[in-house]
Amino acid sequence: MYTAKGQLSEADALLKQYSPLVRRLAHQMIAKLPANVELDDLIQVGMIGLNDALSRFDAGQGVQFETFATQRIRGAMLDELRGGDWMSRGDRRHQRAIETAVHKLEQRLQRAPSESEIADELGMLLADYQELLGKVRGTQLFYLEDLSGDDGDDFLDRHVADDGADPLAMLQDHRMRSALVDAIGKLPEREQYVMSMYYEHDMNLKEIAAVLGVTESRICQLHSQSIARLRSRLRQW
């Protein structure tokens, strides 16, 4: 028999023992999700799932604890993601407006438009446009609805819940990959640097800002603008 103190100590020890499992699952999941999903948030929710697994585990069912805990941890993370607002309707509407402006200007100018030109096309001051770019910082190259299946199946179920699934499967198509490489190569030089450091070298915004000698908020703006340019081009593909 365990005393209340003994039970607490054992639970704490098990939480500590399996916390690396939570972190590993969180890192696997975060790689498949939009940039606005925070790793620490997934870990926190995962620890709640781990604690739930510890309280519900029954060794008599013949299942290993790590297998049982993995299901509970991942389930807790998925529930949190489904309940969250990944990107507000307003932000998505703004992003679409930016993409449309970029597309129109590229057609008219036959080159990548500058920030001030995009701001003018939107009828905004440059400072207001840059502030807007900061607000849509969670945008990604593909939105969840872009990746939804023809039968309406859930993105999270197809690409996050299954360890064997590849969330970028559509990029494995040679033509799509070539189109993406070509689109990145036509970005303004500084935006190419940002995309390369962020996606190829796995650097965060703060690290990129230090390399380029600008503020983190400025890198956020450049990243959002790059995504708008790429989406504009890939929608034509």
Side-chain angles (χ1 to χ4, degrees):
M1 296 290 292
Y2 287 99
T3 63
K5 183 176 181 181
Q7 290 175 332
L8 181 61
S9 297
E10 182 184 31
D12 287 343
L14 288 171
L15 283 172
K16 184 175 181 180
Q17 177 183 346
Y18 287 100
S19 61
L21 172 63
V22 174
R23 295 191 64 85
R24 184 168 72 250
L25 292 172
H27 277 282
Q28 290 174 354
M29 195 171 287
I30 201 74
K32 307 172 184 181
L33 295 169
N36 59 317
V37 180
E38 296 290 341
L39 176 64
D40 288 345
D41 291 342
L42 283 184
I43 292 174
Q44 183 177 4
V45 172
M47 290 301 294
I48 295 174
L50 173 59
N51 189 61
D52 180 60
L54 288 170
S55 66
R56 294 175 179 270
F57 180 65
D58 181 1
Q61 294 184 352
V63 179
Q64 291 186 344
F65 176 73
E66 184 164 334
T67 300
F68 179 78
T70 295
Q71 294 174 342
R72 287 282 172 175
I73 293 166
R74 186 178 287 117
M77 292 177 180
L78 290 173
D79 286 344
E80 176 69 14
L81 289 167
R82 288 192 178 97
D85 182 12
W86 292 28
M87 187 177 182
S88 72
R89 288 184 178 181
D91 287 344
R92 187 159 299 179
R93 185 171 62 252
H94 291 316
Q95 178 68 10
R96 299 289 191 191
I98 294 171
E99 292 170 22
T100 299
V102 168
H103 176 68
K104 288 180 178 179
L105 287 167
E106 286 181 341
Q107 294 297 307
R108 189 160 69 237
L109 302 173
Q110 294 299 301
R111 59 171 172 78
S114 67
E115 279 182 284
S116 59
E117 289 170 333
I118 299 173
D120 286 343
E121 181 70 21
L122 291 168
M124 304 175 69
L125 296 174
L126 177 58
D128 292 335
Y129 170 62
Q130 291 175 335
E131 182 180 353
L132 180 62
L133 286 173
K135 289 181 179 178
V136 297
R137 62 175 297 168
T139 57
Q140 290 291 286
L141 185 56
F142 298 108
Y143 296 146
L144 297 187
E145 61 265 32
D146 293 336
L147 298 175
S148 61
D150 293 336
D151 55 357
D153 55 342
D154 186 79
F155 174 88
L156 294 172
D157 288 333
R158 290 183 297 115
H159 297 310
V160 177
D162 182 0
D163 281 339
D166 181 1
L168 297 181
M170 65 184 300
L171 292 184
Q172 299 310 309
D173 179 87
H174 178 71
R175 291 175 60 216
M176 182 62 181
R177 189 165 58 246
S178 296
L180 178 58
V181 170
D182 180 65
I184 291 175
K186 293 178 180 177
L187 290 174
E189 186 175 33
R190 175 161 284 201
E191 291 179 30
Q192 287 189 46
Y193 290 151
V194 170
M195 298 297 282
S196 174
M197 286 185 276
Y198 191 87
Y199 291 103
E200 294 181 32
H201 301 288
D202 199 27
M203 296 170 65
N204 60 39
L205 299 182
K206 185 176 182 179
E207 292 169 336
I208 298 172
V211 170
L212 295 182
V214 297
T215 64
E216 184 176 346
S217 62
R218 179 58 181 153
I219 295 301
C220 174
Q221 293 168 3
L222 291 173
H223 176 262
S224 294
Q225 186 166 264
S226 299
I227 292 296
R229 294 186 197 274
L230 291 175
R231 282 184 57 83
S232 174
R233 287 185 176 275
L234 293 176
R235 283 164 69 183
Q236 304 171 43
W237 174 78

